[in-house]
Amino acid sequence: MSKDPKLAHRPWLDPEAEPYIKIQGITKRFGDFTAVDNVDLDIYKGELFCWLGGSGCGKSTLLRMLAGFETPTAGKIFIDGVEMNDIPAYERPVNMMFQSYALFPHMTVEKNIAYGLVRDGLDKATIQSKVEEIIDMVELTQFSKRKPHQLSGGQRQRVALARALVKQPKVLLLDEPLGALDKRLREQTQYELMNIQDQLGVTFIVVTHDQEEAMTLSTRIAIMDKGKFIQTGTPTEIYETPDSRFIANFIGSANIFEGHVVESGKEHVLVRSTRDQSLFYIDHGSDLQENAKVWVAIRPEKIKISKSPPEQSDHNQLIGTVDDIGYLGKLSNYKVLLDNGKIIDITYPNQVRPKSGDHLVDWEEKVYLSWDASSAVVLTH
Ligand code: ATP
């Protein structure tokens, strides 16, 4: 681990850190269909890494190749410096927790958890102490004599997690681990999962299609589309600096304006929108050519909405009328219709309790929109 405390939790920034899992040029074809397409990825020890992507993008196939249940068509996988390609699943230092949990219905919680250790031929006393320790960690001690059908979905999920962890794998692979849980339980279990991972220091790779889950859990996220990773970064990097329109819309939502570069410098980019010639000033530098076609993305919560005009400026301002208001409790969503017909989404936190029926602005009201020069991102595709 790095001596620099800042790098200890961000080993991917440490040029001296060695990746724990190395995926090199991995491809998987089924007939003439390419499910995973020449993927490279480094994952560091102790990371909780999420692969996020829509249905069928190849996440599970890649996970199964890491576990050894599927053979790559091309490429190599290394774990802790050892090439895995010729090592069978049962000899790999990984364990996999499946979507369906696959618990044995006729066995009690403790027998389910002990199963792998019994099969490995460990002695009774060792098994008992390992099982007790892990049952305590996942807070299932009082349920240890129950069978799976006598448990809630969240409790069953924790049994599956305990069963996967009791063998102390170096890497735990989790395929949609919280998919079967309702929203409330899922949120609670996300934190439990993070705590357990933190306590054990095991490297977790989680496959999910749930972006909120990925944002909450991960040290880093790799976004997958059509068998490729299209952006990798921390949740903040992915959210704040998406590098394509696809990602800007896939993670959260974004208002996207098509335009052309008017000026491009070391510290700013000026873009004129194609639709209505409004100007967007962005305070990050770029090496874009003048006149290049680009898109400016602005997150709904970065836009200020006001009844009175903001300070006079020739950029980062729009005028429209309120078309719709959605009150969601902790926040409100506003849809503002611009003169050019485009709808802008704005999200506002409800920090002050409004009087009944009262909103920041009202339906059909003329409003002024503005945002900080640091709030927009310029995208080239
Ligand atoms: P989901 O979130 O729906 O589970 P995923 O991203 O995990 O999706 P995979 O299960 O990896 O997707 O599948 C990727 C693609 O490969 C899909 O189009 C799938 O139909 C195809 N595929 C997976 N396994 C096989 C197989 N054994 N034979 C043929 N095609 C397969």
Side-chain angles (χ1 to χ4, degrees):
M1 197 180 269
S2 173
K3 289 185 199 97
D4 181 342
K6 276 199 199 121
L7 294 181
H9 293 287
R10 297 179 188 83
W12 54 91
L13 297 178
D14 182 354
E16 287 173 20
E18 273 296 315
Y20 196 57
I21 300 168
K22 236 181 158 17
I23 296 176
Q24 267 180 358
I26 285 286
T27 294
K28 179 69 190 180
R29 284 192 209 97
F30 296 108
D32 56 6
F33 176 75
T34 306
V36 176
D37 191 1
N38 195 14
V39 163
D40 293 308
L41 186 68
D42 288 346
I43 296 177
Y44 293 83
K45 195 170 184 158
E47 275 205 79
L48 202 164
F49 204 108
C50 275
W51 296 344
L52 177 65
S55 181
C57 71
K59 311 177 294 286
S60 302
T61 305
L62 185 56
L63 203 67
R64 291 170 60 77
M65 286 192 276
L66 206 56
F69 301 141
E70 203 82 73
T71 312
T73 311
K76 287 182 176 168
I77 292 172
F78 297 87
I79 298 178
D80 206 6
V82 180
E83 191 187 322
M84 290 290 127
N85 290 43
D86 295 325
I87 299 188
Y90 59 88
E91 280 181 16
R92 295 192 183 194
V94 302
N95 217 336
M96 184 147 168
M97 197 184 115
F98 294 95
Q99 269 176 37
S100 58
Y101 308 155
L103 300 177
F104 298 116
H106 59 285
M107 285 188 194
T108 61
V109 166
E110 59 183 6
K111 290 228 161 84
N112 259 290
I113 296 172
Y115 181 78
L117 304 178
V118 173
R119 231 181 43 172
D120 287 351
L122 267 65
D123 65 85
K124 253 191 171 169
T126 311
I127 294 175
Q128 194 178 351
S129 85
K130 279 179 186 272
V131 170
E132 274 173 14
E133 191 186 341
I134 207 85
I135 285 191
D136 184 45
M137 184 177 289
V138 296
E139 296 177 16
L140 284 174
T141 308
Q142 58 174 314
F143 305 110
S144 62
K145 303 284 182 223
R146 289 205 195 169
K147 293 197 175 148
H149 74 274
Q150 296 166 317
L151 300 172
S152 73
Q155 289 157 352
R156 276 201 291 271
Q157 189 271 344
R158 279 184 275 153
V159 178
L161 185 63
R163 192 176 59 174
L165 286 169
V166 78
K167 290 188 73 177
Q168 296 175 316
K170 289 182 180 172
V171 181
L172 184 62
L173 310 176
L174 303 105
D175 194 354
E176 301 277 358
L178 312 178
L181 309 182
D182 66 34
K183 188 169 161 47
R184 227 189 149 82
L185 198 53
R186 204 160 60 216
E187 283 170 2
Q188 185 192 331
T189 316
Q190 279 168 10
Y191 286 100
E192 285 169 7
L193 205 60
M194 285 156 76
N195 277 337
I196 290 169
Q197 195 264 351
D198 199 40
Q199 282 178 52
L200 295 177
V202 175
T203 305
F204 276 27
I205 300 179
V206 178
V207 157
T208 178
H209 66 273
D210 181 331
Q211 46 151 306
E212 253 181 61
E213 188 166 300
M215 297 286 284
T216 313
L217 288 175
S218 319
T219 49
R220 288 189 298 155
I221 299 173
I223 307 223
M224 205 166 182
D225 185 38
K226 299 190 192 92
K228 284 184 182 295
F229 286 133
I230 50 172
Q231 189 174 358
T232 300
T234 63
T236 316
E237 283 163 357
I238 301 250
Y239 188 80
E240 299 292 350
T241 50
D243 66 10
S244 67
R245 284 175 290 156
F246 176 88
I247 304 247
N249 281 315
F250 185 72
I251 297 279
S253 58
N255 295 291
I256 296 196
F257 304 85
E258 187 188 303
H260 287 86
V261 174
V262 179
E263 281 170 31
S264 166
K266 270 201 185 115
E267 280 163 14
H268 80 287
V269 189
L270 190 64
V271 174
R272 187 184 297 282
S273 94
T274 316
R275 198 151 168 168
D276 66 1
Q277 308 298 306
S278 39
L279 285 169
F280 296 80
Y281 181 95
I282 301 104
D283 72 356
H284 65 71
S286 86
D287 49 11
L288 289 163
Q289 296 289 322
E290 220 173 89
N291 228 15
K293 184 175 177 179
V294 290
W295 290 266
V296 175
I298 313 174
R299 299 284 188 196
E301 72 281 7
K302 305 266 199 274
I303 299 180
K304 293 177 213 119
I305 186 167
S306 157
K307 294 183 199 190
S308 45
E311 244 173 68
Q312 197 60 37
S313 164
D314 65 349
H315 57 254
N316 297 0
Q317 292 190 1
L318 295 167
I319 301 173
T321 47
V322 177
D323 197 52
D324 201 3
I325 303 174
Y327 174 74
L328 300 183
K330 61 183 172 188
L331 46 88
S332 289
N333 288 330
Y334 296 90
K335 285 194 184 295
V336 170
L337 177 65
L338 305 183
D339 286 347
N340 65 26
K342 188 174 170 71
I343 297 266
I344 307 295
D345 289 312
I346 299 140
T347 303
Y348 245 73
N350 290 319
Q351 284 185 335
V352 179
R353 181 189 283 172
K355 291 191 204 108
S356 165
D358 212 5
H359 294 286
L360 176 72
V361 289
D362 228 326
W363 271 271
E364 306 296 331
E365 200 162 4
K366 180 175 177 182
V367 287
Y368 298 86
L369 309 181
S370 60
W371 57 93
D372 242 43
S374 61
S375 296
V377 191
V378 182
L379 307 169
T380 54
H381 60 287

